[in-house]
Amino acid sequence: MKNVMDTLRARGFIKQTVYEDELYEKLSKESVPFYIGFDPTADSLHVGHFMQLVAMKHMQDAGHKPIILIGGGTAMVGDPSGRTDMRSMMTKETVAYHVECFKKQMSKFVSFEGENGAVIVNNADWLLDLNYIDFLREIGVHFSVNKMLTAECFKSRMEKGLSFLEFNYMLMQAYDFLVLNRKYGCLLELGGDDQWSNILAGADLIRRKEQKSAFAMTFTLLTTSEGKKMGKTQKGAVWLDENKTSPYDFYQYWRNTADADVEKCLKLLTFLPLDKIAELTKYKDERMNRAKEVLAYELTKTVHGQEKADKAQSEARGAFGGDGDMPVKSIDKSTSNLIGALVAAGLCKSNGEARRLIEQGGVSVNGERVTDGNSPIPREDFILAKGKKVRMKIVLS
């Protein structure tokens, strides 16, 4: 069995580990149950989650058992990591609905069959009925407040105010690891590097309580070369649910990746061999466009299937290269002006946004820039472009 740590390190995943030599040896010799947590704060996974799912698949393919922890309990408290304000608290009903949505999406990415088939658990099952006094006596006694306050997730909140509710989050996440260790023999927690303090706390709790090994590993956060988190557009997050981000928009997001980020994204988010990735990205000129196409196609195929990836690629080529089928949007023939057309086609959320875009010179009709939002649209099918990267055929119906 090839050691999965070598694979993850070669592809740029690993940021921090603890007891690294001991963990490497275990991963070489046995199947290691591991878990990754997902807070159900929306009804769909997004691009940030997708990187965790790719890592999970690498681990499973190497023979290790994934435990997918849905934070149905912790989501009712809110993780302060990376936040400057307190998260809004959700109802049990909302959390339950999000949990079901996650389960359906995750089943596309990991296998639930066989000896190392993935299992999905919800920490609401053990957190919602906790006896608080018992919890403090069993778990709280092992945490130093002084040490907790040095954690980055808490330090960044001290100026604006950190509620006691959120201060409990680290204890709850650590307790999750302990429960999974006792129930499933889970030895390793994985997650983004912004979770390092929480993950480390769980491994330390197991070593103190159970007197046995437990491990932590964090991954590089998915950021651009400029240090900004990937997965955001003007429309908002890039979702894995096609009803929230269409396969075409998903494809276009990755097709427009900056040259400097293409190699990293191919390594972290696709399963292409490293030598093929090196070949695709060795030229730092217009030939990088081929690598971007491969990146966009591979990710769209993984998330939405080959048929929808083929369609998205054909539409993108049709819109920008003339070789393929341009995306088509039908709007009501009673639409009177360009502002209305932009909103009806879903390219702008409001009339105000459409007007500003037009006045700034960001809209063209049949290749001609238009700067007056009240201009009438053609009375037959036409090509509507928003900026340089969005182009579609408008059909009047």
Side-chain angles (χ1 to χ4, degrees), residues 349-381:
K349 293 181 179 178
S350 66
N351 289 350
E353 180 186 336
R355 188 182 302 280
R356 287 190 294 274
L357 184 67
I358 294 165
E359 290 174 353
Q360 292 165 5
V363 177
S364 64
V365 174
N366 290 332
E368 296 291 329
R369 185 171 295 173
V370 181
T371 55
D372 181 3
N374 293 317
S375 298
I377 59 174
R379 302 324 299 167
E380 57 187 17
D381 299 352

Side-chain angles (χ1 to χ4, degrees), residues 231-252:
K232 294 281 187 182
T233 67
Q234 286 184 333
K235 294 182 180 178
V238 179
W239 301 97
L240 305 192
D241 183 341
E242 66 178 275
N243 295 313
K244 297 168 83 73
T245 300
S246 71
Y248 176 78
D249 287 340
F250 188 84
Y251 178 95
Q252 280 297 96

Side-chain angles (χ1 to χ4, degrees), residues 35 39 74 78-82 143 148 151-154 166-178 189-190 192-205 215-216 218:
Y35 97 89
D39 271 346
T74 40
D79 180 6
S81 302
F143 285 79
M148 288 175 69
E152 195 59 42
C153 62
F154 293 138
E166 294 170 292
F167 197 58
N168 280 267
Y169 192 90
M170 182 181 288
L171 277 71
M172 294 168 73
Q173 186 166 329
Y175 184 62
D176 287 343
F177 198 173
L178 179 63
E189 181 179 357
L190 308 175
D193 198 51
D194 56 346
Q195 291 292 315
W196 176 244
S197 299
N198 293 330
I199 293 174
L200 198 57
D204 185 58
L205 179 64
F215 305 93
T218 60

